[in-house]
Amino acid sequence: MSWSDDDYGWVGDWTARRASLSPDRTAIVDATDGTRATYADLESRANRTARLLEDYDVCEGSRVALVSRNRLEVFDLFFGTGKTGSVLAPLSYRLAPPELAELLELVDPNLLVIESPFVERLEHAMARSSVDPSVLEIETNEPAGGWDVYRDRLPVNDGPVESRDRALSDPHLLLHTGGSTGTPKETTVTHGSLYWNSTNTITAWGLRPDDVTPMVFPNFHTGGWNVITLPLIHMGGTLVIDREVDPRRVLDQVETHEATVLVAVPAVLRSMATHDDWDRTDLSSLRFVKSGGGPCRDSIVQAWRDRGVDMSQGYGLTEIGPNNFAMPDEYDPGKVASVGKPVLHADARIIDENGREVEAGEIGELELRGPHGSAGYWRNPEATRETFGNEADAERWVSTGDLARVDEDGFYHIEGRKKNMFISGGENVYPPEVEDVIADNDAVAEAIVVGVPDDQWGTVGKAVVELTDEARTNAATPEDALALEDLEVFLSGKLARFKIPKYLAFVDEMPMSGPSKIDRTALEDRFGDDEDEGSQNESGEGGENRNDTDDGAEVEP
């Protein structure tokens, strides 16, 4: 029997083995309500959850969709689905009902578990879809939706459940992402992907059993599971979870729980470093901090390093990893602009447009491979071939879509997106999806969205709009025809808030690079500058509105 076909390391066995080794060690602290769970507790809770899933006819290969903030029940479902051999599909509560409806259609769950605050949103989503799963509500102090209540249906029996015959190649997580057109895709993350990413992280980052971390990524991200959660559980460390990510609370958690490790998106790290409590918070327990989910500005890195904290940048994606690189021992601090070198069980290469590896120092597309890669996209063979290559290909490299270079010392530097996607507060934003919705506005003839730098979110969207003749005729200025506030109201409920542009600019006519093809590069060159510099419309009149609120993106889990 080959390694890929046996069941060593499959998720259903993790809590039992960790509980047998360190039953009384604290696994999770819920900072919202003060609840603590040991590793023995995790195993008991997972067994009860597995029986709950069986009561709802969730069996091997069945999907369980989940819409919830970070809480203990999320971990119960992760390990409970592991024990039943079923598949967990966490969905973002930040998405609008139409987006959630598409994902529900794709996942086709047997069971849907919803935290109370998101009941109404999911009711609208299910009304738009053809799926009809059983529904359980994780009831909070919010109004209930009239479905079965999760805690009321949990069986009392917490003894060991019957083991399932699953392989490392079997799926365990479906994590959603999007394509360049905004069409949703679910990445199929196998038991083996989870195991090998955890192994890579432990060996490259030097995680220890006494490590403690505030877990600030949401559970519907690969960051919520693979960046630090599962590697730390493998080591028997302690996670501090919270419903919201507030900089003051995270700073307090670092000090109160003597956190040793912190991984977060740049927006969170920046909000912590600029908070009033920053200077008086004791950070001395932190062994290292890592930034992920998008490029981190030098000023943020320096702020943490000025406090004596070893901070570096990571790099990964849902399709592989996400922990693919690490900084070597005793690295030159001047290398912090890079993402480091490949971890122990990951290969990286940079290729040109013809698929040939480029020379050191040259920029090309970054490709990755390793046993921590996902199996592809759920029920989407065409997109799988495009990103992962053919299944029969012995060298199955994952195309990242990112541009990168390797310096003379072997450090990898990410140079930007190959496509026009940008990352806002750790969230992927795909301009064509946003443009399609903006174009539905009666005042809009054409719209293009470009990313612009933002100190808080890293990048936010700027909508460049060509108005219809009617709208232009009936308004004294472009802003009278379509103000940014009006656009926000129009997009609300149709798109997640982090996708809604924070800036609005106008052109009399879109530049073209060919027949019926808008020149995106020209627009990016013209409007993709720093937002504080403003921009003009083609007639030379002031043509930009700005949204100075913080609603353009979200970072709370």
Side-chain angles (χ1 to χ4, degrees), residues 231-254:
L232 208 59
I233 287 175
H234 251 152
M235 290 302 296
T238 301
L239 295 162
V240 181
I241 63 173
D242 209 345
R243 304 293 179 273
E244 315 294 339
V245 174
D246 173 82
R248 181 192 60 79
R249 288 178 65 85
V250 180
L251 286 167
D252 179 68
Q253 290 161 15
V254 169

PDB file of all heavy atoms in Angstrom, residues 231-254:
ATOM      1  N   PRO A 231      -1.301  23.520  11.978  1.00  0.00           N
ATOM      2  CA  PRO A 231       0.066  23.255  12.431  1.00  0.00           C
ATOM      3  C   PRO A 231       0.217  23.367  13.948  1.00  0.00           C
ATOM      4  O   PRO A 231       0.920  22.556  14.570  1.00  0.00           O
ATOM      5  CB  PRO A 231       0.881  24.332  11.705  1.00  0.00           C
ATOM      6  CG  PRO A 231       0.110  24.612  10.460  1.00  0.00           C
ATOM      7  CD  PRO A 231      -1.328  24.510  10.885  1.00  0.00           C
ATOM      8  N   LEU A 232      -0.444  24.334  14.551  1.00  0.00           N
ATOM      9  CA  LEU A 232      -0.313  24.502  15.994  1.00  0.00           C
ATOM     10  C   LEU A 232      -1.032  23.377  16.747  1.00  0.00           C
ATOM     11  O   LEU A 232      -0.549  22.903  17.783  1.00  0.00           O
ATOM     12  CB  LEU A 232      -0.875  25.858  16.416  1.00  0.00           C
ATOM     13  CG  LEU A 232      -0.250  26.463  17.680  1.00  0.00           C
ATOM     14  CD1 LEU A 232       1.241  26.661  17.498  1.00  0.00           C
ATOM     15  CD2 LEU A 232      -0.906  27.781  18.031  1.00  0.00           C
ATOM     16  N   ILE A 233      -2.170  22.934  16.239  1.00  0.00           N
ATOM     17  CA  ILE A 233      -2.866  21.801  16.856  1.00  0.00           C
ATOM     18  C   ILE A 233      -2.014  20.539  16.747  1.00  0.00           C
ATOM     19  O   ILE A 233      -1.953  19.731  17.679  1.00  0.00           O
ATOM     20  CB  ILE A 233      -4.256  21.616  16.216  1.00  0.00           C
ATOM     21  CG1 ILE A 233      -5.196  22.724  16.698  1.00  0.00           C
ATOM     22  CG2 ILE A 233      -4.847  20.244  16.535  1.00  0.00           C
ATOM     23  CD1 ILE A 233      -6.556  22.726  16.053  1.00  0.00           C
ATOM     24  N   HIS A 234      -1.347  20.362  15.597  1.00  0.00           N
ATOM     25  CA  HIS A 234      -0.430  19.234  15.463  1.00  0.00           C
ATOM     26  C   HIS A 234       0.626  19.234  16.569  1.00  0.00           C
ATOM     27  O   HIS A 234       1.006  18.183  17.083  1.00  0.00           O
ATOM     28  CB  HIS A 234       0.276  19.301  14.100  1.00  0.00           C
ATOM     29  CG  HIS A 234      -0.170  18.251  13.147  1.00  0.00           C
ATOM     30  ND1 HIS A 234      -0.142  18.414  11.780  1.00  0.00           N
ATOM     31  CD2 HIS A 234      -0.668  17.005  13.334  1.00  0.00           C
ATOM     32  CE1 HIS A 234      -0.584  17.326  11.181  1.00  0.00           C
ATOM     33  NE2 HIS A 234      -0.917  16.465  12.106  1.00  0.00           N
ATOM     34  N   MET A 235       1.094  20.426  16.932  1.00  0.00           N
ATOM     35  CA  MET A 235       2.145  20.543  17.945  1.00  0.00           C
ATOM     36  C   MET A 235       1.597  20.550  19.366  1.00  0.00           C
ATOM     37  O   MET A 235       2.356  20.494  20.328  1.00  0.00           O
ATOM     38  CB  MET A 235       2.955  21.823  17.709  1.00  0.00           C
ATOM     39  CG  MET A 235       3.814  21.781  16.465  1.00  0.00           C
ATOM     40  SD  MET A 235       4.985  20.402  16.467  1.00  0.00           S
ATOM     41  CE  MET A 235       6.019  20.805  17.864  1.00  0.00           C
ATOM     42  N   GLY A 236       0.266  20.669  19.505  1.00  0.00           N
ATOM     43  CA  GLY A 236      -0.314  20.723  20.852  1.00  0.00           C
ATOM     44  C   GLY A 236      -0.262  22.114  21.447  1.00  0.00           C
ATOM     45  O   GLY A 236      -0.266  22.266  22.674  1.00  0.00           O
ATOM     46  N   GLY A 237      -0.219  23.145  20.611  1.00  0.00           N
ATOM     47  CA  GLY A 237      -0.192  24.519  21.084  1.00  0.00           C
ATOM     48  C   GLY A 237      -1.577  25.039  21.418  1.00  0.00           C
ATOM     49  O   GLY A 237      -2.560  24.288  21.466  1.00  0.00           O
ATOM     50  N   THR A 238      -1.670  26.354  21.645  1.00  0.00           N
ATOM     51  CA  THR A 238      -2.921  26.973  22.087  1.00  0.00           C
ATOM     52  C   THR A 238      -3.343  28.079  21.130  1.00  0.00           C
ATOM     53  O   THR A 238      -2.542  28.951  20.783  1.00  0.00           O
ATOM     54  CB  THR A 238      -2.763  27.576  23.494  1.00  0.00           C
ATOM     55  OG1 THR A 238      -2.387  26.538  24.413  1.00  0.00           O
ATOM     56  CG2 THR A 238      -4.057  28.216  23.969  1.00  0.00           C
ATOM     57  N   LEU A 239      -4.621  28.033  20.725  1.00  0.00           N
ATOM     58  CA  LEU A 239      -5.218  29.055  19.865  1.00  0.00           C
ATOM     59  C   LEU A 239      -6.149  29.929  20.691  1.00  0.00           C
ATOM     60  O   LEU A 239      -6.912  29.421  21.513  1.00  0.00           O
ATOM     61  CB  LEU A 239      -6.031  28.412  18.749  1.00  0.00           C
ATOM     62  CG  LEU A 239      -5.289  27.572  17.710  1.00  0.00           C
ATOM     63  CD1 LEU A 239      -6.278  26.685  16.983  1.00  0.00           C
ATOM     64  CD2 LEU A 239      -4.570  28.465  16.720  1.00  0.00           C
ATOM     65  N   VAL A 240      -6.097  31.242  20.441  1.00  0.00           N
ATOM     66  CA  VAL A 240      -7.031  32.170  21.048  1.00  0.00           C
ATOM     67  C   VAL A 240      -7.931  32.688  19.932  1.00  0.00           C
ATOM     68  O   VAL A 240      -7.456  33.325  18.992  1.00  0.00           O
ATOM     69  CB  VAL A 240      -6.316  33.344  21.735  1.00  0.00           C
ATOM     70  CG1 VAL A 240      -7.332  34.284  22.382  1.00  0.00           C
ATOM     71  CG2 VAL A 240      -5.323  32.835  22.779  1.00  0.00           C
ATOM     72  N   ILE A 241      -9.224  32.371  20.006  1.00  0.00           N
ATOM     73  CA  ILE A 241     -10.154  32.774  18.945  1.00  0.00           C
ATOM     74  C   ILE A 241     -11.065  33.884  19.455  1.00  0.00           C
ATOM     75  O   ILE A 241     -11.212  34.085  20.659  1.00  0.00           O
ATOM     76  CB  ILE A 241     -10.989  31.585  18.434  1.00  0.00           C
ATOM     77  CG1 ILE A 241     -11.872  31.016  19.552  1.00  0.00           C
ATOM     78  CG2 ILE A 241     -10.082  30.499  17.863  1.00  0.00           C
ATOM     79  CD1 ILE A 241     -12.852  29.952  19.078  1.00  0.00           C
ATOM     80  N   ASP A 242     -11.679  34.600  18.529  1.00  0.00           N
ATOM     81  CA  ASP A 242     -12.561  35.710  18.870  1.00  0.00           C
ATOM     82  C   ASP A 242     -13.562  35.875  17.734  1.00  0.00           C
ATOM     83  O   ASP A 242     -13.277  35.507  16.593  1.00  0.00           O
ATOM     84  CB  ASP A 242     -11.741  36.989  19.050  1.00  0.00           C
ATOM     85  CG  ASP A 242     -12.370  37.974  20.030  1.00  0.00           C
ATOM     86  OD1 ASP A 242     -13.572  37.811  20.348  1.00  0.00           O
ATOM     87  OD2 ASP A 242     -11.674  38.901  20.472  1.00  0.00           O
ATOM     88  N   ARG A 243     -14.736  36.445  18.035  1.00  0.00           N
ATOM     89  CA  ARG A 243     -15.730  36.659  16.985  1.00  0.00           C
ATOM     90  C   ARG A 243     -15.294  37.776  16.034  1.00  0.00           C
ATOM     91  O   ARG A 243     -15.542  37.715  14.845  1.00  0.00           O
ATOM     92  CB  ARG A 243     -17.096  37.032  17.561  1.00  0.00           C
ATOM     93  CG  ARG A 243     -17.655  36.058  18.553  1.00  0.00           C
ATOM     94  CD  ARG A 243     -18.023  34.704  17.966  1.00  0.00           C
ATOM     95  NE  ARG A 243     -18.515  33.885  19.060  1.00  0.00           N
ATOM     96  CZ  ARG A 243     -17.738  33.150  19.849  1.00  0.00           C
ATOM     97  NH1 ARG A 243     -16.438  33.078  19.607  1.00  0.00           N
ATOM     98  NH2 ARG A 243     -18.242  32.451  20.851  1.00  0.00           N
ATOM     99  N   GLU A 244     -14.697  38.820  16.593  1.00  0.00           N
ATOM    100  CA  GLU A 244     -14.287  39.960  15.795  1.00  0.00           C
ATOM    101  C   GLU A 244     -12.782  40.153  15.944  1.00  0.00           C
ATOM    102  O   GLU A 244     -12.175  39.708  16.906  1.00  0.00           O
ATOM    103  CB  GLU A 244     -15.001  41.245  16.255  1.00  0.00           C
ATOM    104  CG  GLU A 244     -16.500  41.092  16.498  1.00  0.00           C
ATOM    105  CD  GLU A 244     -17.276  40.785  15.231  1.00  0.00           C
ATOM    106  OE1 GLU A 244     -16.754  41.070  14.137  1.00  0.00           O
ATOM    107  OE2 GLU A 244     -18.402  40.250  15.346  1.00  0.00           O
ATOM    108  N   VAL A 245     -12.205  40.852  14.956  1.00  0.00           N
ATOM    109  CA  VAL A 245     -10.791  41.211  15.053  1.00  0.00           C
ATOM    110  C   VAL A 245     -10.724  42.708  15.300  1.00  0.00           C
ATOM    111  O   VAL A 245     -10.973  43.516  14.412  1.00  0.00           O
ATOM    112  CB  VAL A 245     -10.017  40.843  13.776  1.00  0.00           C
ATOM    113  CG1 VAL A 245      -8.592  41.360  13.852  1.00  0.00           C
ATOM    114  CG2 VAL A 245     -10.002  39.332  13.597  1.00  0.00           C
ATOM    115  N   ASP A 246     -10.414  43.045  16.528  1.00  0.00           N
ATOM    116  CA  ASP A 246     -10.275  44.435  16.939  1.00  0.00           C
ATOM    117  C   ASP A 246      -8.831  44.633  17.388  1.00  0.00           C
ATOM    118  O   ASP A 246      -8.306  43.822  18.164  1.00  0.00           O
ATOM    119  CB  ASP A 246     -11.242  44.726  18.088  1.00  0.00           C
ATOM    120  CG  ASP A 246     -11.031  46.102  18.678  1.00  0.00           C
ATOM    121  OD1 ASP A 246     -11.550  47.079  18.112  1.00  0.00           O
ATOM    122  OD2 ASP A 246     -10.322  46.193  19.713  1.00  0.00           O
ATOM    123  N   PRO A 247      -8.146  45.665  16.899  1.00  0.00           N
ATOM    124  CA  PRO A 247      -6.717  45.807  17.224  1.00  0.00           C
ATOM    125  C   PRO A 247      -6.445  45.866  18.721  1.00  0.00           C
ATOM    126  O   PRO A 247      -5.461  45.285  19.202  1.00  0.00           O
ATOM    127  CB  PRO A 247      -6.315  47.104  16.523  1.00  0.00           C
ATOM    128  CG  PRO A 247      -7.594  47.818  16.210  1.00  0.00           C
ATOM    129  CD  PRO A 247      -8.611  46.743  16.007  1.00  0.00           C
ATOM    130  N   ARG A 248      -7.309  46.548  19.466  1.00  0.00           N
ATOM    131  CA  ARG A 248      -7.095  46.615  20.908  1.00  0.00           C
ATOM    132  C   ARG A 248      -7.217  45.236  21.544  1.00  0.00           C
ATOM    133  O   ARG A 248      -6.420  44.863  22.412  1.00  0.00           O
ATOM    134  CB  ARG A 248      -8.106  47.572  21.544  1.00  0.00           C
ATOM    135  CG  ARG A 248      -7.936  47.727  23.060  1.00  0.00           C
ATOM    136  CD  ARG A 248      -9.128  48.442  23.674  1.00  0.00           C
ATOM    137  NE  ARG A 248     -10.366  47.712  23.452  1.00  0.00           N
ATOM    138  CZ  ARG A 248     -10.737  46.645  24.169  1.00  0.00           C
ATOM    139  NH1 ARG A 248      -9.939  46.155  25.115  1.00  0.00           N
ATOM    140  NH2 ARG A 248     -11.889  46.056  23.923  1.00  0.00           N
ATOM    141  N   ARG A 249      -8.221  44.466  21.097  1.00  0.00           N
ATOM    142  CA  ARG A 249      -8.414  43.129  21.658  1.00  0.00           C
ATOM    143  C   ARG A 249      -7.256  42.204  21.305  1.00  0.00           C
ATOM    144  O   ARG A 249      -6.815  41.397  22.130  1.00  0.00           O
ATOM    145  CB  ARG A 249      -9.740  42.538  21.169  1.00  0.00           C
ATOM    146  CG  ARG A 249     -10.954  43.194  21.791  1.00  0.00           C
ATOM    147  CD  ARG A 249     -12.255  42.621  21.241  1.00  0.00           C
ATOM    148  NE  ARG A 249     -12.427  41.223  21.587  1.00  0.00           N
ATOM    149  CZ  ARG A 249     -12.949  40.786  22.732  1.00  0.00           C
ATOM    150  NH1 ARG A 249     -13.320  41.654  23.653  1.00  0.00           N
ATOM    151  NH2 ARG A 249     -13.107  39.494  22.950  1.00  0.00           N
ATOM    152  N   VAL A 250      -6.755  42.283  20.074  1.00  0.00           N
ATOM    153  CA  VAL A 250      -5.637  41.420  19.694  1.00  0.00           C
ATOM    154  C   VAL A 250      -4.388  41.798  20.486  1.00  0.00           C
ATOM    155  O   VAL A 250      -3.642  40.926  20.955  1.00  0.00           O
ATOM    156  CB  VAL A 250      -5.369  41.493  18.182  1.00  0.00           C
ATOM    157  CG1 VAL A 250      -4.200  40.579  17.813  1.00  0.00           C
ATOM    158  CG2 VAL A 250      -6.606  41.081  17.395  1.00  0.00           C
ATOM    159  N   LEU A 251      -4.138  43.088  20.655  1.00  0.00           N
ATOM    160  CA  LEU A 251      -3.000  43.514  21.474  1.00  0.00           C
ATOM    161  C   LEU A 251      -3.138  42.983  22.901  1.00  0.00           C
ATOM    162  O   LEU A 251      -2.163  42.499  23.499  1.00  0.00           O
ATOM    163  CB  LEU A 251      -2.898  45.038  21.485  1.00  0.00           C
ATOM    164  CG  LEU A 251      -2.369  45.691  20.205  1.00  0.00           C
ATOM    165  CD1 LEU A 251      -2.612  47.189  20.235  1.00  0.00           C
ATOM    166  CD2 LEU A 251      -0.884  45.391  20.017  1.00  0.00           C
ATOM    167  N   ASP A 252      -4.355  43.056  23.435  1.00  0.00           N
ATOM    168  CA  ASP A 252      -4.600  42.540  24.787  1.00  0.00           C
ATOM    169  C   ASP A 252      -4.391  41.035  24.846  1.00  0.00           C
ATOM    170  O   ASP A 252      -3.839  40.513  25.831  1.00  0.00           O
ATOM    171  CB  ASP A 252      -6.021  42.896  25.225  1.00  0.00           C
ATOM    172  CG  ASP A 252      -6.341  42.373  26.618  1.00  0.00           C
ATOM    173  OD1 ASP A 252      -5.745  42.878  27.589  1.00  0.00           O
ATOM    174  OD2 ASP A 252      -7.188  41.466  26.727  1.00  0.00           O
ATOM    175  N   GLN A 253      -4.807  40.321  23.810  1.00  0.00           N
ATOM    176  CA  GLN A 253      -4.622  38.867  23.786  1.00  0.00           C
ATOM    177  C   GLN A 253      -3.137  38.496  23.730  1.00  0.00           C
ATOM    178  O   GLN A 253      -2.715  37.526  24.371  1.00  0.00           O
ATOM    179  CB  GLN A 253      -5.367  38.278  22.591  1.00  0.00           C
ATOM    180  CG  GLN A 253      -6.881  38.322  22.732  1.00  0.00           C
ATOM    181  CD  GLN A 253      -7.615  38.181  21.418  1.00  0.00           C
ATOM    182  OE1 GLN A 253      -7.035  37.771  20.416  1.00  0.00           O
ATOM    183  NE2 GLN A 253      -8.896  38.520  21.405  1.00  0.00           N
ATOM    184  N   VAL A 254      -2.373  39.260  22.968  1.00  0.00           N
ATOM    185  CA  VAL A 254      -0.928  39.003  22.919  1.00  0.00           C
ATOM    186  C   VAL A 254      -0.333  39.117  24.311  1.00  0.00           C
ATOM    187  O   VAL A 254       0.452  38.259  24.753  1.00  0.00           O
ATOM    188  CB  VAL A 254      -0.238  39.978  21.949  1.00  0.00           C
ATOM    189  CG1 VAL A 254       1.286  39.898  22.102  1.00  0.00           C
ATOM    190  CG2 VAL A 254      -0.636  39.675  20.502  1.00  0.00           C
TER     191      VAL A 254
END
